Amino acid sequence: MTVKLNPRAFNHAKKLTEEGRIALDDRDEWSEHRPSAADENAYLEEHGFNEYARWYLGIDDEMGEETKGRYKFPYGDFERVHRCGVLSAEVRAAQQKYADIENAAAHLHGLLDGRGAGNR
């Protein structure tokens, strides 16, 4: 499996963060906040794979372009960047030794924590 950073998703996440479209949730909340398979399917049906891909920091280039399995490391709920999603992506990327994805997630983590500090 060859998983690499999806620069389009990384730029999308940075833009959403700059716009304040974020959820500053706690680390352990991703299992509750991540989109369900039904949510993913509904988003795909309405928006297609081109838009769906913008919500995943990783791309497995060995998987077909129009398959859900191609897209790894989700970070949001198709509306907002979730801090818990970014943290989950950062930890999983580190465990799986995907340094480019880990570094991108760490950058987003810093942006989100900076936004949170300004709101306290």
Side-chain angles (χ1 to χ4, degrees):
M1 175 175 12
T2 304
V3 179
K4 61 185 178 187
L5 177 65
N6 178 356
R8 208 167 141 249
F10 179 51
N11 290 330
H12 181 62
K14 289 189 295 187
K15 182 177 184 271
L16 292 172
T17 300
E18 290 167 8
E19 293 172 356
R21 292 176 53 190
I22 58 176
L24 297 174
D25 38 20
D26 290 327
R27 177 184 199 126
D28 297 330
E29 295 182 275
W30 186 232
S31 61
E32 296 169 26
H33 293 182
R34 72 173 294 151
S36 67
D39 294 335
E40 289 178 339
N41 292 338
Y43 189 86
L44 267 170
E45 188 173 315
E46 185 173 341
H47 300 280
F49 276 98
N50 194 37
E51 290 299 309
Y52 179 83
R54 296 189 327 160
W55 291 94
Y56 294 82
L57 291 174
I59 294 177
D60 181 347
D61 61 11
E62 292 181 4
M63 300 292 285
E65 285 193 29
E66 296 206 352
T67 63
K68 286 170 52 175
R70 180 177 177 87
Y71 305 100
K72 312 288 186 194
F73 302 100
Y75 64 82
D77 62 4
F78 303 121
E79 292 180 17
R80 299 174 296 166
V81 176
H82 279 257
R83 182 176 179 273
C84 60
V86 169
L87 291 170
S88 176
E90 184 178 0
V91 169
R92 285 183 25 247
Q95 290 170 339
Q96 297 172 22
K97 306 222 184 304
Y98 298 127
D100 55 347
I101 298 168
E102 178 187 3
N103 292 337
H107 181 81
L108 293 171
H109 179 184
L111 292 176
L112 290 167
D113 283 356
R115 295 283 302 205
N119 293 331
R120 289 187 184 124

